[in-house]
Amino acid sequence: MAGSNTSKYDVIVIGGGHNGLVNAAYLARAGKKVLVLERRHVLGGAACTEEVFPGFKFSVCSYVVSLLRPEIIRDLDLPRHGLEILPLDGTFTPMPSGDYLWRVNDHGKTHREIARHSRVDAEAYDEFGKAMQAMCRFVKPILSMVPPDPNTLNPRELMKLLFIGRRFQGMSSYDKYNQVQLMTMSAIDFLDQWFETDVLKATMSASGIIGTFLGVRSPGTAYVLLHHYMGEIDGAFRAWGFARGGTGAISNAIGDAAREAGVEIRTQSAIAKIIVEDGKAKGVVLANGDEIYADTISSSVDPRLTFNKFIEADHLPADFLEDINRFKYRGSSGKVNMALDALPNFKCMPGPGAHLRGAISISPSVEYMERAYDDAKYGNFSRRPYIDMVIPSLTDPSVAPPGKHVLSCFVQYAPYKLRAGLNWDDQKEAFGDTVINTIAEYAPNIKDIILHRQVVTPLDLEREWGLSEGNIFQGELSLEQLFFLRPAPGYARFRTPIRNLYMCGSATHPGGGIMGAPGRLAALEILKDKGAA
Amino acid sequence: MPETKSDRRDIVIIGGGHNGLVAAFYLAKAGFKPLVLERRAQVGGAAITDEIHPGFRCSTLAHTAGPIRPDIVQDMQLEKHGLRLITPETCVTALSPEGRALSLYQDTNKSAQAISAFSQKDAVKYSEFQQSLTKISKVLAEALATTPPDIDHPSGADLWSMLKTGRALRNLGKRDMYRVLRWGPMAVADLVAEYFETELLRSVIAARGIFGTFLGPWSAGSSLQLLIRAAGDSHLAGSAFFAAGGLGTLTQAMASAAKSAGVEIRTAAEVIEIRVKDGAATGVLLSSGEEISANAVISNADPKRTLLKLTDPTHLSPDFVQKLQHYRGNGTVAKVNLALCGLPNFTALKNGDGAALKGRIHIGPEIDYLERAFDESKYGNFSRQPYLEATIPSLADPTLAPDGKHVMSIYMQYAPYQLKGDWESQRKALGQTVVQTLAQYAPNLPELILTHQIITPQDLEDVYGLTGGQIFHGDLALDQFFTMRPLLDWARYRTPIENLYLCGSGTHPGAGLTGGSGANAAREILKQLKK
């Protein structure tokens, strides 16, 4: 029937998060007829902007951008589609003693500020920056690489392993030493080698734990530190920023680029099932019962949804299913978003000022960070959590009514699995109170200026954003879940045991953050198999 | 003439611990005449037996031989030199505070049967896990017996051995190969949770991943330690190897074997400096003022003691010194040895079931218990509810104590070397904590105690020369393993100082009483000496 043919697509992309959209855009640009299906009413997945309270727009989940791959910005011409990144200047860490640590993008200022705490550290800080750049140069090509399969004898794959080996050999012995340590050590053990100032180490180590269920002293966190160090805006290392209009503006820009390339995007289109016949994916069934067929299905949602929810187990090999069931999510963070009547007033630096324009980090000591983790290990949210706060309305007034502000707090640890007897629906407000009480220790006026607050628990992330167990990276970034082991050994190359079914989300190499790399790499692999139209 | 006063040797070995003795033996076999200099009155390092109470002898530190490499036992003919290994059928018994006991045996089926009293599912999984580990451990054992490759300039031999290891890995088959790659960096708590639901079983196996290191079961990389241990002893929870007469007989047998191979051993001979001239080691200076010059100096002491204390660091590049200062080795264990006037009565064991106590006794009933014990140590306190590994060696070897009486040897973890306050003032509290913890499982224990011997991490450093009280001469962690032990590019038993070598546990493979480091070092040093 002619009718059924016209409704057939080359590719259906499940999920309109940033990776799904990147994936769709690249495929459409190669001539594929692509349909993106998004369950929610807004695009972007966890990279979304929502007007939660009238006049106040929030980057509800992901709130800063840095990792977005420059080749994607270039290829999709995102600035033309409305992407504008506003720099986030500096990190301000208030301390209980009444002192603070304030690092900014101005080298001289930061040097003087760190020297105020320790002269040695001020010198080491420059060295550290240089060393990390060398590490990033080594790791970056690996991020743009489809992971090789160590089990193969295919010469091309072996060449890839050799390539990594050669690049490693090509580094100076100083860089090699650092690289090996970064891949294996804890953030604190690594930083201990460079710095003596506790608050500096604590704040820097925070990058090593974001989104993982690990503490700053857990081996493997040094790598996550690097992962976050790789951010770049316009090629400048270690620069973070806001998208004008909130993080959703990034997804919208990618969405626009995709639409321009011919992608059809449907929101409020939840998937119920992926249709598999004879080991091949053929299409999807929507929650409303509609069936849509396509040659290729590309799933940007996490493996649990893709393989445990949308596909019946008997279509999958037992070994693979075992690996997928074992893949660790374990969300460890939540968000608290607030609409404010005025700006918070920090005891250690009263009044408004440039320190409020950057990130404000509640990470006063290494012990504080580690104790926050200890609470989480036994199923409690941290009594005194690590909080990373930003006030985007200072940089981008469009997100709040005049004179008012939005405050976005990333909070860790908030373990998805609470101890027996507790559940997140009951704990949600207590969690919000804990965050506010913690902030109030540094900025006592916070309690008086809150107009509204929105608490996002790991359970909310799962229910509303489809992130299993609330993991913001669609699966932990731990060493045994990286590279050729992400998400499952033997299936790190965006392909699945089911023909015509691909994965393109953060659960694939190189992982989470608003990076877009999985979506792009998956598109290139799909085109390799299917040929450009 | 002054020359006649100065003794000249071909090889001097600093320290008569087990690795020093093993290295000395192999070098003597190859025709050299090594001189071993031991600071203390007896050789043996951390593998010694002392009389802790008149008539009661106990393995002072290490209490199981763990596990010594069979080829070394054979080469040194240790049995002929007096070693008798006792391997009780019960490897380990884990106790729960509710009065349950789980014994694991040498025999996998018997272990599985014991587990089935807790969980039928776990019993099946146990055999499955054991099978995988047995296969994997063979490959690992091979890898541990090789010298780590030279990263910068791999030689033909290096490439060949890497290729061999790679092939052996591939030959495991896809599933097991991925297991090795995946397990290495994992937290051991996750690994055991993938297989088992019974907390007691999970924790007794997880203990292998944390013993002796500054890691908790939830620390990533703790599985690696389990794998390294499994390379020498593939039993999932670890076997129990005792030496008749205490572990001192193991090193006494080694000393005897070394002597008959031509090694000279001097005790009470403390080296206080390694003499270096023009970038090469020329000999050693003893505390007596005596100098001994040598063509090669081999140190069985830990890397930090060897290169930062015994050697004038000005002979090393600042970069190297800095890296070595960052080599992590903060001890986490203490030891308590007890002389007992009778066998403690464990509530979990019916009518004083002696057989269950012949292996190791594990106290640490849940993963969370072990992790909480670790938590305290991160902030400089010793655990108030510690993880304990105890043995009652007099059960299998009655010669250690008078009739009907016993010795009990207990490893206590976590006792951080870096304590808030000093260890001397905490010594008594540490002993009490250990006894009280045990009394929760064997209430009559306190009244049986004739004497305590309490060894704090500070004692481990001061008396036994273990820097930082680290029993493995440096943490066994992902970043201090294989080509990185002790430092990246210095994992081949050589040091930046010519003619100065390392052969102790601070070199690959490191862990426990295996003799692996000594044997590997001897092989590499021989290559150098024959050049």
Side-chain angles (χ1 to χ4, degrees), chain B residues 71-151:
Chain B
D71 56 319
I72 294 173
V73 177
Q74 205 168 21
D75 290 347
M76 296 180 86
Q77 296 184 292
L78 292 181
E79 270 148 21
K80 220 182 80 189
H81 289 280
L83 174 69
R84 190 166 62 82
L85 281 178
I86 301 172
T87 50
E89 198 196 359
T90 312
C91 294
V92 59
T93 296
L95 301 172
S96 84
E98 304 84 48
R100 296 196 78 183
L102 170 63
S103 289
L104 298 175
Y105 304 92
Q106 286 182 39
D107 180 56
T108 306
N109 291 333
K110 198 169 172 192
S111 303
Q113 207 184 340
I115 294 166
S116 66
F118 290 80
S119 156
Q120 205 63 47
K121 227 165 87 189
D122 284 1
V124 176
K125 283 280 182 187
Y126 182 82
S127 308
E128 203 180 286
F129 195 177
Q130 180 65 68
Q131 223 173 4
S132 265
L133 193 67
T134 307
K135 253 173 86 185
I136 289 169
S137 69
K138 283 192 189 117
V139 176
L140 291 173
E142 262 178 59
L144 292 198
T146 62
T147 301
D150 184 334
I151 299 286

Side-chain angles (χ1 to χ4, degrees), chain B residues 49 59 63-65 83-86 241-250 393 397 400:
Chain B
T49 309
S59 299
H63 59 198
T64 55
L83 174 69
R84 190 166 62 82
L85 281 178
I86 301 172
F241 297 92
F242 295 98
L247 271 185
T249 56
L250 168 68
D397 177 8
L400 292 172

Side-chain angles (χ1 to χ4, degrees), chain A residues 144-473:
Chain A
S144 308
M145 176 192 262
V146 177
D149 181 353
N151 193 47
T152 180
L153 283 177
N154 175 343
R156 196 192 287 182
E157 295 302 307
L158 292 175
M159 282 305 290
K160 264 193 212 160
L161 285 172
L162 201 65
F163 167 78
I164 299 173
R166 284 251 170 84
R167 278 185 56 88
F168 183 73
Q169 277 208 335
M171 291 201 288
S172 71
S173 78
Y174 173 78
D175 288 343
K176 260 184 224 166
Y177 177 74
N178 286 329
Q179 184 62 43
V180 163
Q181 293 201 325
L182 270 173
M183 295 308 294
T184 50
M185 281 177 108
S186 79
I188 287 300
D189 282 335
F190 186 72
L191 293 168
D192 269 346
Q193 305 188 351
W194 293 84
F195 306 111
E196 57 184 23
T197 309
D198 193 55
V199 63
L200 177 66
K201 287 189 279 193
T203 305
M204 292 177 82
S205 71
S207 304
I209 52 161
I210 295 214
T212 71
F213 202 91
L214 293 169
V216 292
R217 289 198 177 279
S218 311
T221 48
Y223 171 75
V224 187
L225 190 85
L226 180 69
H227 190 90
H228 282 89
Y229 227 90
M230 265 176 301
E232 57 185 319
I233 300 173
D234 304 328
F237 273 100
R238 188 64 189 141
W240 289 82
F242 299 113
R244 186 182 291 282
T247 309
I250 302 168
S251 307
N252 289 335
I254 302 170
D256 277 357
R259 281 196 196 95
E260 188 184 83
V263 174
E264 182 186 337
I265 299 174
R266 290 190 209 166
T267 53
Q268 291 178 289
S269 302
I271 304 273
K273 211 179 131 185
I274 295 171
I275 304 167
V276 180
E277 279 171 26
D278 307 326
K280 283 185 221 164
K282 297 237 155 133
V284 296
V285 184
L286 299 186
N288 65 10
D290 286 358
E291 294 186 4
I292 311 175
Y293 290 88
D295 296 329
T296 301
I297 310 294
S298 178
S299 173
S300 76
V301 299
D302 69 35
R304 186 172 293 175
L305 291 181
T306 308
F307 299 105
N308 296 122
K309 193 172 168 206
F310 296 152
I311 295 174
E312 274 138 42
D314 53 6
H315 291 301
L316 296 163
D319 280 357
F320 175 77
L321 206 55
E322 196 182 304
D323 288 332
I324 290 297
N325 291 340
R326 190 162 46 212
F327 191 64
K328 289 186 307 232
Y329 298 91
R330 290 206 282 238
S332 58
S333 59
K335 278 289 298 280
V336 176
N337 299 314
M338 289 173 236
L340 300 182
D341 201 21
L343 285 170
N345 194 16
F346 282 87
K347 277 195 283 191
C348 63
M349 194 179 278
H355 62 294
L356 302 178
R357 290 178 172 267
I360 302 162
S361 178
I362 305 296
S363 51
S365 71
V366 172
E367 182 165 333
Y368 179 98
M369 300 293 281
E370 188 67 18
R371 289 203 186 269
Y373 170 56
D374 285 346
D375 288 336
K377 284 190 299 194
Y378 310 108
N380 304 301
F381 59 77
S382 310
R383 276 163 291 184
R384 280 293 170 261
Y386 159 63
I387 305 174
D388 188 39
M389 292 187 270
V390 290
I391 310 174
S393 47
L394 277 173
T395 319
D396 175 9
S398 73
V399 296
K404 315 237 185 273
H405 291 281
V406 293
L407 173 66
S408 173
C409 305
F410 172 87
V411 189
Q412 195 159 330
Y413 298 79
Y416 173 79
K417 279 195 186 115
L418 289 172
R419 73 187 147 82
L422 299 185
N423 72 67
W424 269 114
D425 289 327
D426 295 345
Q427 294 296 309
K428 184 168 175 149
E429 295 312 318
F431 175 62
D433 292 344
T434 296
V435 170
I436 289 166
N437 290 336
T438 305
I439 298 171
E441 289 180 5
Y442 305 89
N445 75 328
I446 187 81
K447 291 184 177 172
D448 308 325
I449 57 174
I450 299 172
L451 299 171
H452 312 279
R453 82 172 186 200
Q454 176 198 28
V455 180
V456 181
T457 70
L459 186 62
D460 295 327
L461 289 173
E462 178 175 80
R463 282 185 193 149
E464 186 57 35
W465 284 272
L467 295 165
S468 293
E469 297 186 20
N471 187 297
I472 60 171
F473 295 143

Side-chain angles (χ1 to χ4, degrees), chain A residues 149 176 180 370 374 377, chain B residues 152 178 371 375 378-379 484:
Chain A
D149 181 353
K176 260 184 224 166
V180 163
E370 188 67 18
D374 285 346
K377 284 190 299 194
Chain B
D152 271 324
Y178 276 128
E371 185 70 24
D375 283 349
K378 292 188 294 190
Y379 311 111
M484 295 166 269

